[in-house]
Amino acid sequence: MSNGLSFVVHYTIEEKTSTSGKTVFHSDKQGHKYLAVKKPINQLKAASALNRIMVLCDNTLILLNMFDLEPIVSGAKIKGVTCFCINENPAYGNPFSVEICVALKKKQLQFYTVTEDRLVHIRDISVSEPAVALGLDGSFVCVALSSQYCMINFETAHIQDLFPFDGEQNKPLILRISKEEFLLSGPSALGMFVTSDGISQRPPLQCILDQHQKQAIPFQGGTYLGNFDGRLFIASGKEIYSLVPVAWEKQVISLYPKLLPTNTSFTRSIQPLHEIADINQLCRGQDSLLTDYKTFLRLYLEDIRGTKEAIGFKQEIDIALLKLYAEVNSPELIPLIAVDTGCDLKDCVDWLEKYNRYHALALLYKYHSENDKALHIWTRLVNGEIKDEAFPGLQFVIEYLSNLTDHELVWKYVDWILEKDPENGVKALFNTLSIYCIRNFRSKLRHMLQISNLYRVQLILGKAKEQEMHAECAILYGKLEEHDKALRILVHKLKDFGGAENYCIVNSQGKDPSYRKRLFHALLSVYLDPSYE
């Protein structure tokens, strides 16, 4: 406004890209047209297909010629209008007209077909309260009355109430998003999706339409802002700019310090897409805001992970998610690492250690076939040297060992397992040896059974019998002081006469000479037993 006047000005717009990478819309100031009116302009929409502009000024809707901004004289003016909207999905599909809905002060909706030279009245529908916002699609108009949303079929005049709103707290908003579907500002700052049938087929949007500031973009000298065919235009006194959204996949992770992997192929554009150094610049020390930004990034990456938009960026996405999960101790951390992860050790070890996610670190070592390092971490967790609530416990380690094919590594941890849990530890060892029954490892097992007292002999003896491991059974009978049974196995089953003599020597070490005599006497009795040849 200037001196009580409002102006509608028509420029020819030329789109150019500046040296800084910004898109600037320069206006042709030669011969531009303008219309001066004495009252504020409340609403303005362009019907480009007709080269017409509709202006709502002082509750009067006027149809203007787009080129000379002269009002269309015959039947192109409606009085008592509070708001209006254009049908983006025309019910009749006439390419030479535009359909509109007009809300009147007198609790009435009117439907018109707009042509080049007139507004053709179609029908009226009465409503219970004055309408303050409209959305039109096909044969349906979504209406915000003073305190209630409703859906109206203007062909049948059927009115369906949707849900109430508090008009004193929030301004109602209606946005047509697809065929016969609208997005409405709902209670508790929710964005509610509603179809022409009066139902919602999508979950509500959280905290989208609460009319609170979401982002600040520095701009000086702005005089007008408007949404035209999905593009946001900002006008200053001399120029028109377009605020162009940048796709998230072109920037998002790089704004967060230390989330990108060190060997990433991603680089920022030579002409910067924006002037934001990183997310900390936007937060300005507000921890809660930084948390919100990280939550947004996590949700976005989870949504695109595995989709075609993420092709070529699996490592970047997985490492960023691992770091975000580790920071907040998310239960999603373990599943991310356990299956088809793009996380490498170089970028993740320090981060997992920083936040004490030791079990996740061990799983990452396991995924990269660093089994010894994984077991080293798990043994420290069992011993209580480090703590991680996500660690499932000793039984997890025993099962892991029982499935290892690296038997040298299994034997490295045999004594530790038998000390912590003799029963389950030996079960795991026998499971391993029953599948890979190799002479070298049988020898190690026999040595362990002979020198160790950390296991339950009867339990192991039962397992050895099941596997027909006769040499091991002989050692175990010796532990039980059942020397006759042990010697019979060595002499009659294994025909290991030297082993039988060695048995007598080994099992009598540290005892009085009479004990050794009794063992050799038992051996002689076994040799002379007439039951055997």
Side-chain angles (χ1 to χ4, degrees):
M1 290 184 64
S2 175
N3 298 324
L5 297 178
S6 293
F7 295 88
V8 178
V9 184
H10 178 241
Y11 292 98
T12 301
I13 306 299
E14 180 184 4
E15 180 177 343
K16 293 183 178 180
T17 302
S18 67
T19 55
S20 65
K22 296 180 180 178
T23 301
V24 181
F25 294 81
H26 294 280
S27 61
D28 177 10
K29 301 177 183 178
Q30 300 299 322
H32 66 255
K33 301 293 183 179
Y34 68 92
L35 172 69
V37 290
K38 296 181 180 180
K39 299 290 184 180
I41 294 174
N42 306 111
Q43 198 174 351
L44 183 150
K45 289 184 178 293
S48 303
L50 303 176
N51 294 319
R52 297 293 181 262
I53 297 174
M54 285 172 280
V55 179
L56 180 59
C57 177
D58 193 26
N59 298 119
T60 300
L61 182 62
I62 306 170
L63 187 63
L64 303 178
N65 187 309
M66 185 179 288
F67 297 109
D68 58 16
L69 298 186
E70 292 293 331
I72 305 301
V73 178
S74 59
K77 183 181 294 187
I78 309 172
K79 294 185 177 181
V81 178
T82 57
C83 59
F84 72 99
C85 65
I86 294 178
N87 196 342
E88 298 182 42
N89 177 31
Y92 303 111
N94 185 346
F96 303 105
S97 66
V98 173
E99 298 169 16
I100 67 170
C101 178
V102 173
L104 302 181
K105 287 182 177 180
K106 57 181 182 179
K107 302 180 183 180
Q108 193 176 58
L109 302 181
Q110 292 186 335
F111 297 87
Y112 289 85
T113 296
V114 181
T115 65
E116 287 187 351
D117 58 353
R118 65 182 61 247
L119 296 165
V120 181
H121 184 210
I122 304 297
R123 62 176 53 85
D124 298 341
I125 293 179
S126 297
V127 289
S128 59
E129 299 173 347
V132 293
L134 301 170
L136 187 58
D137 183 87
S139 300
F140 295 90
V141 57
C142 187
V143 184
L145 303 177
S146 300
S147 59
Q148 172 84 22
Y149 286 109
C150 61
M151 188 73 68
I152 301 175
N153 185 328
F154 68 75
E155 295 285 357
T156 63
H158 176 261
I159 301 177
Q160 180 179 3
D161 291 339
L162 299 177
F163 57 87
F165 62 87
D166 187 352
E168 295 182 0
Q169 295 293 326
N170 291 304
K171 178 182 176 181
L173 299 175
I174 300 176
L175 176 65
R176 184 258 185 190
I177 60 169
S178 64
K179 179 176 171 56
E180 297 183 6
E181 187 176 21
F182 302 88
L183 178 62
L184 315 180
S185 58
S188 303
L190 291 177
M192 307 293 293
F193 293 95
V194 181
T195 68
S196 59
D197 294 326
I199 62 174
S200 180
Q201 296 177 330
R202 316 188 201 198
L205 296 177
Q206 293 284 343
C207 302
I208 294 296
L209 300 173
D210 57 3
Q211 300 178 38
H212 294 162
Q213 178 177 312
K214 296 295 187 297
Q215 185 177 0
I217 300 175
F219 188 86
Q220 294 183 346
T223 57
Y224 180 78
L225 182 147
N227 183 355
F228 297 90
D229 296 327
R231 195 169 224 174
L232 197 62
F233 284 91
I234 306 107
S236 67
K238 297 181 179 181
E239 294 177 311
I240 299 175
Y241 298 85
S242 175
L243 188 64
V244 181
V246 179
W248 287 110
E249 60 267 22
K250 293 184 179 180
Q251 59 176 323
V252 66
I253 298 176
S254 65
L255 296 176
Y256 295 75
K258 300 181 180 180
L259 290 194
L260 278 175
T262 54
N263 63 342
T264 180
S265 60
F266 177 86
T267 55
R268 290 195 180 188
S269 301
I270 300 300
Q271 292 292 344
L273 298 173
H274 49 72
E275 298 177 356
I276 304 171
D278 58 43
I279 211 69
N280 294 320
Q281 176 186 334
L282 297 179
C283 295
R284 298 178 181 177
Q286 300 180 55
D287 292 339
S288 61
L289 190 57
L290 179 60
T291 299
D292 290 341
Y293 281 136
K294 288 183 176 179
T295 300
F296 163 76
L297 176 64
R298 175 179 59 78
L299 293 173
Y300 171 73
L301 294 179
E302 288 174 343
D303 190 51
I304 68 165
R305 186 173 185 253
T307 65
K308 63 180 181 180
E309 289 84 358
I311 293 175
F313 294 103
K314 178 175 177 58
Q315 185 183 49
E316 286 84 353
I317 291 172
D318 283 7
I319 288 178
L321 281 173
L322 178 142
K323 292 180 177 180
L324 291 169
Y325 289 154
E327 189 172 338
V328 299
N329 198 18
S330 168
E332 298 297 324
L333 176 60
I334 301 301
L336 174 72
I337 291 173
V339 182
D340 189 29
T341 180
C343 304
D344 62 12
L345 292 170
K346 179 174 59 177
D347 284 291
C348 300
V349 170
D350 291 343
W351 196 277
L352 292 171
E353 287 180 339
K354 174 183 177 182
Y355 292 101
N356 302 327
R357 312 301 175 213
Y358 297 111
H359 180 52
L361 176 57
L363 288 173
L364 190 61
Y365 276 129
K366 170 182 174 290
Y367 182 84
H368 289 280
S369 300
E370 298 274 4
N371 295 311
D372 195 12
K373 291 182 179 179
L375 282 165
H376 178 68
I377 292 173
W378 283 324
T379 55
R380 293 184 66 203
L381 284 166
V382 172
N383 294 339
E385 300 171 30
I386 53 178
K387 296 184 182 299
D388 184 351
E389 62 185 23
F391 175 56
L394 175 63
Q395 187 59 36
F396 174 86
V397 186
I398 292 174
E399 292 177 4
Y400 178 66
L401 276 170
S402 68
N403 290 298
L404 271 182
T405 57
D406 183 352
H407 293 91
E408 291 290 349
L409 191 57
V410 172
W411 283 105
K412 180 178 178 180
Y413 291 92
V414 161
D415 290 340
W416 178 83
I417 282 289
L418 291 176
E419 178 184 353
K420 295 297 179 184
D421 189 341
E423 181 173 341
N424 289 313
V426 171
K427 283 182 181 179
L429 291 175
F430 271 90
N431 287 339
T432 303
L433 291 170
S434 66
I435 299 172
Y436 302 100
C437 194
I438 303 170
R439 180 178 300 176
N440 185 39
F441 298 112
R442 289 283 297 276
S443 174
K444 288 185 177 182
L445 176 62
R446 289 193 293 271
H447 177 72
M448 182 273 296
L449 293 175
Q450 184 69 57
I451 67 171
S452 177
N453 294 310
L454 297 174
Y455 59 89
R456 289 171 53 191
V457 178
Q458 290 285 9
L459 172 70
I460 307 309
L461 180 58
K463 287 286 183 181
K465 285 181 177 179
E466 289 176 7
Q467 303 294 333
E468 296 186 354
M469 300 172 73
H470 301 302
E472 289 77 9
C473 287
I475 295 172
L476 294 167
Y477 278 127
K479 290 278 187 177
L480 295 172
E481 298 282 333
E482 297 183 25
H483 302 299
D484 184 68
K485 291 181 180 179
L487 290 169
R488 287 183 182 278
I489 289 173
L490 292 169
V491 172
H492 298 303
K493 279 195 175 292
L494 299 177
K495 311 294 185 183
D496 184 4
F497 310 118
E501 293 179 17
N502 187 61
Y503 173 91
C504 295
I505 296 171
V506 170
N507 283 277
S508 62
Q509 284 181 350
K511 298 180 180 179
D512 59 79
S514 61
Y515 191 90
R516 175 172 291 189
K517 287 180 181 179
R518 287 199 300 272
L519 285 181
F520 276 100
H521 185 269
L523 175 59
L524 180 60
S525 298
V526 170
Y527 280 138
L528 298 175
D529 187 347
S531 301
Y532 296 91
E533 294 181 0

